[in-house]
């Protein structure tokens, strides 16, 4: 009986973990407005644009677009982008926001 209880608890924890790790594109939009609009057009309603970096819509349209690779990319320091020191959750949220852009 005790083994059944442990197994049930494990299944519940596994299900909860997916909910906790789910990306929040709304938070990604907020973060993108704060961190990314200086170099990227992040949405159709952005008034001021720039050609320094690709638009989020063009990133989402790339044939090799992969949200998991983008999440990893955002966590690594890379040239031409400021070190934003995003948490893994924030990177996932921005990736989810970009993935929702019209294709």
């Amino acid at each position: 009986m005790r083994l059944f209880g442990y197994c049930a608890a494990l299944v519940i924890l596994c299900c909860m973990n997916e909910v906790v790790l789910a990306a929040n594109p709304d938070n990604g939009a907020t973060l993108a407005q704060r961190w990314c609009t200086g170099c990227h057009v992040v949405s159709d309603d952005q008034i001021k644009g720039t050609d320094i970096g690709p638009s989020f819509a063009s990133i989402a349209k790339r044939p090799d677009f992969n949200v998991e690779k983008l999440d990893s990319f955002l966590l690594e320091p890379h040239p031409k982008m400021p070190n934003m020191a995003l948490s893994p959750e924030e990177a996932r949220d921005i990736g989810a926001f970009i993935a929702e852009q019209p294709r």
Side-chain angles (χ1 to χ4, degrees), residues 4 7-8 19-20 23 32 34 38-39 41 45 47-48 52 55-56 58 63 75 77 80 82 91 100-101 103:
F4 176 74
C7 291
V19 172
V20 171
R34 182 182 315 145
C39 299
V41 174
D45 61 348
I47 297 169
K48 183 179 177 186
I52 295 173
S55 71
F56 279 15
S58 70
L75 291 173
K80 297 184 182 180
E100 285 189 342
Q101 297 303 302
R103 295 178 186 236

Side-chain angles (χ1 to χ4, degrees), residues 12-66:
I12 291 169
L13 286 174
C14 289
C15 291
M16 289 175 58
N17 194 27
E18 287 183 28
V19 172
V20 171
L21 294 178
N24 180 346
D26 293 331
N27 186 49
T30 301
L31 293 168
Q33 292 295 325
R34 182 182 315 145
W35 287 101
C36 308
T37 56
C39 299
H40 299 272
V41 174
V42 301
S43 65
D44 290 337
D45 61 348
Q46 185 174 339
I47 297 169
K48 183 179 177 186
T50 178
D51 62 354
I52 295 173
S55 71
F56 279 15
S58 70
I59 292 170
K61 289 178 186 174
R62 292 180 179 174
D64 62 342
F65 177 78
N66 178 298

Side-chain angles (χ1 to χ4, degrees), residues 72-88:
S72 295
F73 175 77
L74 291 173
L75 291 173
E76 297 293 323
H78 40 279
K80 297 184 182 180
M81 284 185 65
N83 183 5
M84 300 177 288
L86 295 171
S87 71

